[in-house]
Amino acid sequence: MILRAIPLKLPPWHRLFSTKSPPFPVIATCPSPTSACAPTPTMPSGFEIDHKTPLNGLISNYAQQVLICTGKDDWPSKIEDDNSGDNLAADLKELVGGRGAVFSDPFHNISILNSSFPSSVSKKSPLQTTSAYLLPSFKYVPFLPRVSFDSVEALVKGYLLPEKLHVAHEGLSPIHRDRLTRKPAYRELLWGVRDVEDILVLVCGHGGRDQRCGVFGPLLKREFEEKLGGVGVDVLTGEVAIGVEDRELSARGVEEKRTAARVGLISHIGGHKFAGNVICYLPPELKTREGESHPLAGCGIWFGRVEPKHVEGIVRETILKGNVIEELFRGGIRQDGTIRSSEGKSDIVNTRRFLLALGAFGLVSLFYGRYAPDTRSRLDEKRFVPFVITHKEKVSNSAFILTVAPRGFKEQEDEDSGTDRPSHQNRDLLERAWNHGLWSVEIKQPQIQVSRDYTPLPPASSEVEDTELRHSKLRFLIRKIDGGEVSTYLSRLQVGDTVELRGPHLGFDVRARLGTADSLVFLAGGTGIAPALQAARALLNDRTPSPSKPSVSILWANRHRDDCPATPSPQQDATRTPRDAPNAMTSLLCQLKSRYGNRLTYASTVDDEGTFISDRDVLIAAQKSHRKLSNDTTLTRTPSSSLSPAATPCTYHSASALPSSPGHDATLEKNTPCGCIDANGSPLQNSGKNLLVVSGPEGFINHFAGPKLWAQGTELQGPLGGVAARLWASNPKLWENWLVLKL
């Protein structure tokens, strides 16, 4: 029997995924303003703007936004709580507000926002009504009576439900499927619905949710109104009048009416740390000044980190000409609901076509006995890539460990099974990250498009380490925090679900900074234990020749005992028999202790038990682990006061250089050698500093080391403060050979 390969006609891949250049005009940076603009405001302490995280792709995944016209310019943190819960947002969330809603559909997200636009007033009825914009379908619904829930249901069933269900719903009964799909007949219950012809500029001004947008929102709104008016765009500020032409026409007739725009404040859209956040919705019939079709007509364009100086550029380049400004671009949505990034990648437009193609691709794999690598599972510092959850283990009532691996990995893969397989794609990258010292990856919450940095946990043994590297697995300690956007999302996921990661992002190189010194004391608050264990692995697992064998002492602060059972207090002997059974995290600590012996010590405090890390605990930990270096001339670090006057402080080992340093050494590792020199200007062969590292919540870091500092668009270490500053002042000689690092 002769087998012949049957030619398979696959659908054009570019119709499924676009990997070409963006399908819209792009300029790299925003042009400088040509006229005066408001100064960029200074943010309150603790509410600084994130200028480090790439913006591209950080846009909420939604099929439709409902923009409710409240006439207010701010709202409670949860908009459904406004007016004691009697509001349109609460009604809509009851029907389509996500998990638990009547018509909840995870494949068809509805974004519900409040806006400062006033509602239209009906001249036909005395009933109180609320208006709403539907975007990017560009519909305006002027009259939704507040005394009748029927109108809300008509809005949902007539305009918001999907016209066609996702293929994943094929297992539902016909009745259930019918219930979740749109019924155009319901539109007849809503009077006065019209197409949106005005440009809409939406600025997040939700001060009740976050101070950054509360500061930027009103400022940018005024700036947009001024700059739009300055280029001849009519800025409309009143209600939308139904049945009456609500624009000022030129003296020469209707056909020459000018372009109009409305600028409004809106509630939370995700990414407050990127304030100011702006969405420009450009109506489908919009024309350029030359009378040609606008390149972005029918699109919603998301911008982040918008300052007053950028407004003129957005108006002239994006709104008038149709150019996307790449440095500010978060993403875009087309009228058909397709989400786009600046790389031209889009959501799957036709899921059925994709699955058919995937099936055909599987047949080709069967013929040839191989499969192509899933390149989208290769970790990347600039793009989010999908990983699958392989294990989820409870640690305490509020914490769990999440294990993820590249999509398509196989547990049974051998070491020599081929480097093109998904589980091999990240091995070299992860080895470099582990060898660097401290590092993290971002995990994204896709519904609201925000991300948080999480620190991978080290393996318990060399055998486990080899296995996890071979499969490119990563483990994260996650604590669910009330109101935590990413942690709450992760707590709901199960084994088999997909998460998106970006990284790795390299932090401090603890080995380079420790040098020939020998002591690391790590103060960890809550999940700050993860970087503590990373640092311990980097120092204790180091196989390079060294005159000293570093020791690591960890003081771990927790709120509850179930977070850290079977761990001693700072005053107890770590070898005592524990009274409690260990959980997953404390078992890991015990395994690492067994692996590294007396070079690793740890103790914990528990708020509920009235125990806390004291100044004395920090001092004792430092004295126990710190060898007296003052009599060992080969290891003594020359004080900065005796350095050559022309010497530049060493970037790695100078305390004076730390306040203006960021929390990473990624570039230093490649470009900056140790700059320690003696008073004669000669390089020191044996140099380094003992390290006191503080990691945890912001208040924890502030208490023990003083707050960090935001400047030059990034987060810097800031001056020494808190407990460390008191200890340094009380015994400067003891602490002369120590550095404090804030994570």
Side-chain angles (χ1 to χ4, degrees):
M1 177 178 175
I2 300 175
L3 291 177
R4 297 176 60 188
I6 303 173
L8 296 174
K9 186 176 181 181
L10 301 181
W13 290 102
H14 71 273
R15 295 183 184 175
L16 300 176
F17 300 102
S18 174
T19 57
K20 299 180 181 179
S21 59
F24 40 70
V26 174
I27 60 173
T29 58
C30 189
S32 299
T34 61
S35 59
C37 59
T40 299
T42 301
M43 291 295 99
S45 177
F47 291 89
E48 293 80 7
I49 305 302
D50 179 357
H51 289 274
K52 179 178 65 173
T53 303
L55 289 174
N56 183 33
L58 292 180
I59 172 177
S60 297
N61 181 19
Y62 62 97
Q64 198 80 239
Q65 276 187 335
V66 183
L67 200 67
I68 301 169
C69 300
T70 70
K72 299 179 180 180
D73 57 9
D74 199 11
W75 311 270
S77 178
K78 294 183 178 180
I79 59 174
E80 60 269 29
D81 293 339
D82 197 20
N83 196 31
S84 301
D86 181 14
N87 59 77
L88 181 56
D91 295 342
L92 285 170
K93 284 178 178 286
E94 183 179 333
L95 295 178
V96 288
R99 185 185 293 266
V102 175
F103 300 105
S104 176
D105 184 346
F107 302 100
H108 188 80
N109 295 318
I110 305 297
S111 172
I112 301 168
L113 303 175
N114 277 352
S115 78
S116 63
F117 297 130
S119 289
S120 296
V121 178
S122 174
K123 295 178 172 58
K124 293 185 176 182
S125 171
L127 294 177
Q128 179 186 359
T129 59
T130 303
S131 305
Y133 286 92
L134 308 182
L135 303 163
S137 61
F138 289 93
K139 294 292 183 182
Y140 180 71
V141 185
F143 307 122
L144 294 163
R146 295 299 308 128
V147 297
S148 172
F149 197 71
D150 291 343
S151 62
V152 181
E153 289 188 316
L155 176 66
V156 170
K157 295 178 180 180
Y159 287 98
L160 299 183
L161 293 182
E163 294 179 291
K164 188 175 182 180
L165 291 180
H166 189 277
V167 67
H169 290 309
E170 287 187 349
L172 297 178
S173 67
I175 293 177
H176 198 173
R177 289 172 57 81
D178 180 70
R179 179 170 172 267
L180 291 177
T181 50
R182 187 179 303 176
K183 307 294 186 300
Y186 281 94
R187 298 177 181 179
E188 297 179 4
L189 301 178
L190 302 174
W191 175 74
V193 178
R194 58 183 280 179
D195 292 334
V196 175
E197 299 178 354
D198 304 326
I199 296 166
L200 297 179
V201 179
L202 312 178
V203 185
C204 184
H206 200 168
R209 184 75 177 260
D210 188 279
Q211 291 188 41
R212 284 165 286 205
C213 288
V215 171
F216 266 102
L219 179 65
L220 292 177
K221 179 178 182 292
R222 292 191 297 270
E223 199 73 26
F224 269 106
E225 290 174 338
E226 177 185 328
K227 295 301 187 287
L228 284 166
V231 295
V233 176
D234 285 340
V235 179
L236 307 177
T237 57
E239 65 183 67
V240 176
I242 303 302
V244 180
E245 179 59 61
D246 63 319
R247 298 182 183 176
E248 291 292 335
L249 304 183
S250 71
R252 285 174 289 181
V254 174
E255 61 276 0
E256 293 193 23
K257 62 186 179 182
R258 293 165 58 179
T259 303
R262 295 179 183 271
V263 184
L265 300 178
I266 58 173
S267 57
H268 180 60
I269 60 172
H272 283 311
K273 64 180 181 178
F274 304 130
N277 288 298
V278 175
I279 309 176
C280 298
Y281 279 108
L282 306 170
E285 302 303 321
L286 184 64
K287 304 292 184 182
T288 64
R289 289 292 172 86
E290 292 73 28
E292 299 176 350
S293 180
H294 195 285
L296 299 176
C299 293
I301 304 299
W302 288 49
F303 290 123
R305 294 198 278 254
V306 177
E307 301 176 18
K309 66 182 180 181
H310 298 131
V311 170
E312 181 184 319
I314 293 174
V315 168
R316 293 184 179 275
E317 292 295 331
T318 301
I319 294 178
L320 295 186
K321 298 179 182 179
N323 294 322
V324 168
I325 301 171
E326 195 165 19
E327 68 169 329
L328 306 175
F329 185 56
R330 289 183 59 177
I333 184 169
R334 294 181 3 180
Q335 197 171 8
D336 62 5
T338 304
I339 302 289
R340 290 205 162 290
S341 71
S342 66
E343 295 159 353
K345 293 187 177 180
S346 67
D347 283 354
I348 297 171
V349 178
N350 189 318
T351 307
R352 290 180 181 274
R353 181 184 294 163
F354 171 70
L355 292 176
L356 288 172
L358 191 61
F361 192 52
L363 289 175
V364 174
S365 301
L366 182 62
F367 274 111
Y368 292 98
R370 58 185 296 181
Y371 60 86
D374 183 0
T375 56
R376 290 197 66 214
S377 285
R378 185 184 297 276
L379 280 169
D380 192 295
E381 289 189 57
K382 296 183 178 179
R383 300 183 183 91
F384 284 98
V385 297
F387 273 55
V388 65
I389 298 174
T390 63
H391 193 64
K392 187 176 182 181
E393 183 176 7
K394 181 179 179 180
V395 171
S396 66
N397 289 330
S398 61
F400 56 94
I401 293 176
L402 207 63
T403 304
V404 302
R407 217 166 44 177
F409 87 104
K410 292 184 178 180
E411 292 280 7
Q412 294 79 19
E413 282 183 338
D414 296 324
E415 187 68 32
D416 59 352
S417 60
T419 57
D420 62 340
R421 293 182 181 271
S423 57
H424 286 274
Q425 292 175 13
N426 301 300
R427 177 162 187 165
D428 292 344
L429 191 65
L430 293 178
E431 280 186 322
R432 287 195 297 271
W434 282 117
N435 290 334
H436 173 81
L438 294 170
W439 61 285
S440 65
V441 298
E442 293 173 77
I443 303 181
K444 183 170 71 171
Q445 208 284 35
Q447 282 82 29
I448 59 174
Q449 293 292 306
V450 298
S451 64
R452 298 289 183 269
D453 283 287
Y454 286 92
T455 301
L457 292 168
S461 65
S462 56
E463 293 78 11
V464 174
E465 183 169 324
D466 289 341
T467 300
E468 292 190 357
L469 275 175
R470 186 163 67 249
H471 298 308
S472 297
K473 284 188 174 182
L474 296 172
R475 295 183 304 150
F476 303 97
L477 175 62
I478 312 291
R479 185 178 305 284
K480 182 181 177 183
I481 301 173
D482 291 339
E485 295 163 327
V486 179
S487 64
T488 301
Y489 159 74
L490 293 175
S491 71
R492 295 171 178 166
L493 299 181
Q494 301 299 325
V495 172
D497 289 338
T498 298
V499 294
E500 293 185 73
L501 309 183
R502 179 164 63 188
H505 303 308
L506 303 184
F508 284 122
D509 185 342
V510 289
R511 288 187 301 175
R513 289 187 176 269
L514 193 71
T516 50
D518 63 352
S519 301
L520 168 67
V521 174
F522 205 113
L523 309 183
T527 55
I529 188 65
L533 297 180
Q534 265 196 2
R537 180 207 172 276
L539 295 179
L540 305 181
N541 206 44
D542 188 7
R543 298 181 177 90
T544 58
S546 173
S548 63
K549 291 294 184 181
S551 63
V552 177
S553 178
I554 299 173
L555 297 178
W556 184 21
N558 294 274
R559 294 187 182 277
H560 312 291
R561 173 53 67 182
D562 70 337
D563 290 320
C564 57
T567 56
S569 70
Q571 292 77 34
Q572 290 175 322
D573 182 0
T575 62
R576 69 175 179 82
T577 302
R579 66 181 184 185
D580 305 305
N583 61 18
M585 274 305 301
T586 50
S587 291
L588 175 59
L589 270 170
C590 293
Q591 291 165 343
L592 292 173
K593 172 72 175 174
S594 175
R595 181 178 181 180
Y596 299 123
N598 291 332
R599 295 174 63 199
L600 172 64
T601 60
Y602 60 86
S604 65
T605 62
V606 180
D607 293 359
D608 288 349
E609 297 175 357
T611 59
F612 306 95
I613 300 175
S614 66
D615 295 21
R616 184 171 180 272
D617 294 332
V618 178
L619 181 61
I620 291 174
Q623 289 174 331
K624 280 183 177 180
S625 61
H626 173 45
R627 289 195 298 123
K628 300 296 183 181
L629 299 179
S630 57
N631 295 324
D632 188 341
T633 56
T634 63
L635 297 181
T636 300
R637 172 70 170 90
T638 303
S640 57
S641 59
S642 62
L643 290 176
S644 169
T648 301
C650 174
T651 311
Y652 285 112
H653 304 125
S654 169
S656 63
L658 264 179
S660 58
S661 299
H664 62 82
D665 291 335
T667 55
L668 298 182
E669 181 188 32
K670 299 174 184 177
N671 304 321
T672 310
C674 173
C676 295
I677 60 175
D678 60 22
N680 298 320
S682 302
L684 292 175
Q685 298 301 314
N686 297 303
S687 58
K689 284 291 189 76
N690 296 302
L691 302 177
L692 175 65
V693 185
V694 186
S695 177
E698 183 180 1
F700 184 85
I701 295 175
N702 293 350
H703 173 75
F704 284 102
K708 297 181 184 179
L709 175 69
W710 277 85
Q712 295 94 47
T714 189
E715 189 176 44
L716 305 179
Q717 288 286 285
L720 191 64
V723 171
R726 293 199 299 270
L727 292 174
W728 261 242
S730 64
N731 194 342
K733 184 64 176 177
L734 171 66
W735 298 100
E736 183 181 37
N737 284 298
W738 288 76
L739 289 178
V740 177
L741 307 180
K742 309 172 192 178
L743 302 188

